[in-house]
Amino acid sequence: MILVIDVGNTNLTLGVFDGERLVATFRLTTKTPRTSDEYGVTITQLLRDRDIRVEELEGSVIASVVPDVMHALVGGIVRYTNTQPLIVGPGVKTGLRIVTEDPRAIGADRIVDAVAAYEKYGGPVLVLDFGTATTYDLITERGEFTAGITAPGIRISSEALWKQTAKLPNIEIRKPKSILAQETISSMQAGLVYGQIGQTEYIIGKVKEESGLKNLKVVATGGLGRLIADETETIDIYDSALTLEGLRIIYGKNPARRDGRKEEKVGD
């Protein structure tokens, strides 16, 4: 079994794979400060609750866009799972060629999503991740990461409305019964959800137009991705586990760069 961890700006998502089968997932809040012991204890307890023993873990892999948590997180994993995590970054084999102007500026989460989408669904593929930011990444048939678009996520837009205005409330993000809203909450929901749908459809259309890739597959993931994918025919596939799958795939491509289980016992 391997432990895979996606450290995002809002949530820290963990998964456990037994071979190619995802057997457990967990979610923690990224913004909660934790020590290495707190990470270690929390993760081992979550595993125990699913009847997974840390001794069953042969390795671990992390993709992170939040550098500040990495020291404590890696320390907790090393101490409590006795594995040395593979960190997705420069030098790690992915199977993709990044041909943007500054390849090192591409976030690890976007690379992981791209790897999973390309490996699972082939290319050319446009990968959408509805997370803290909404991202659109283009991978060619030859496995080249050629372009990326970044927009504010739905939750960021929602927070901007209620934090920057005196009378607008913090709301649940869901599709209202009608876009013809008649009160404040459904008015905000209509603007947020239908606005995101409109943005999604326009950007996908523009990418197809400028790239000339009319046969482009569109794959979406992310916490609010299902909400949008269900409302537009421009998204072909919604895959909730895409990022975790990408981590598993990258782990498998890097046998020489991962240490796996340390030979010494925890605490030695």
Side-chain angles (χ1 to χ4, degrees), residues 17-65:
F17 281 92
D18 186 358
E20 296 185 2
R21 186 166 65 95
L22 182 61
V23 296
T25 59
F26 316 95
R27 194 176 296 265
L28 301 174
T29 302
T30 304
K31 294 179 181 178
T32 301
R34 295 181 178 91
T35 66
S36 58
D37 287 326
E38 287 171 327
Y39 274 118
V41 169
T42 300
I43 291 170
T44 53
Q45 183 61 56
L46 290 171
L47 295 173
R48 191 177 301 119
D49 288 345
R50 299 290 184 88
D51 297 322
I52 299 170
R53 296 180 298 115
V54 293
E55 292 80 11
E56 298 178 89
L57 297 176
E58 65 183 57
S60 54
V61 55
I62 302 173
S64 174
V65 296

Side-chain angles (χ1 to χ4, degrees), residues 2 17-18 31 57 99 107 114 126 159 170 172 182 196 220 234:
I2 64 168
F17 281 92
D18 186 358
K31 294 179 181 178
L57 297 176
V99 295
L126 183 66
E159 289 180 3
N170 189 8
E172 177 187 4
Q182 296 183 324
Q196 182 69 72
T234 58

Side-chain angles (χ1 to χ4, degrees), residues 132-237:
T132 304
T134 299
T135 57
Y136 307 75
D137 294 317
L138 179 63
I139 299 89
T140 68
E141 189 173 0
R142 294 183 296 178
E144 296 172 333
F145 188 117
T146 62
I149 300 104
T150 306
I154 309 175
R155 219 172 286 282
I156 285 180
S157 299
S158 175
E159 289 180 3
L161 282 175
W162 74 267
K163 286 183 177 180
Q164 300 299 322
T165 58
K167 292 187 176 181
L168 293 182
N170 189 8
I171 62 168
E172 177 187 4
I173 299 174
R174 63 182 180 86
K175 189 184 78 168
K177 292 180 180 179
S178 170
I179 197 170
L180 302 176
Q182 296 183 324
E183 45 75 34
T184 300
I185 291 177
S186 60
S187 171
M188 294 172 66
Q189 290 170 334
L192 290 165
V193 174
Y194 287 107
Q196 182 69 72
I197 294 167
Q199 177 198 101
T200 299
E201 292 180 340
Y202 183 84
I203 289 179
I204 290 171
K206 200 66 176 173
V207 168
K208 288 182 176 181
E209 175 190 328
E210 292 198 14
S211 68
L213 299 171
K214 303 301 182 183
N215 63 333
L216 186 66
K217 300 181 195 72
V218 180
V219 179
T221 192
L224 292 168
R226 171 67 74 185
L227 174 65
I228 305 305
D230 286 346
E231 298 299 324
T232 176
E233 294 182 359
T234 58
I235 294 174
D236 299 310
I237 300 162

Side-chain angles (χ1 to χ4, degrees), residues 62-84:
I62 302 173
S64 174
V65 296
V66 188
D68 290 350
V69 309
M70 289 299 288
H71 179 74
L73 177 60
V74 171
I77 292 171
V78 170
R79 176 179 292 186
Y80 285 86
T81 74
N82 205 25
T83 66
Q84 184 67 46

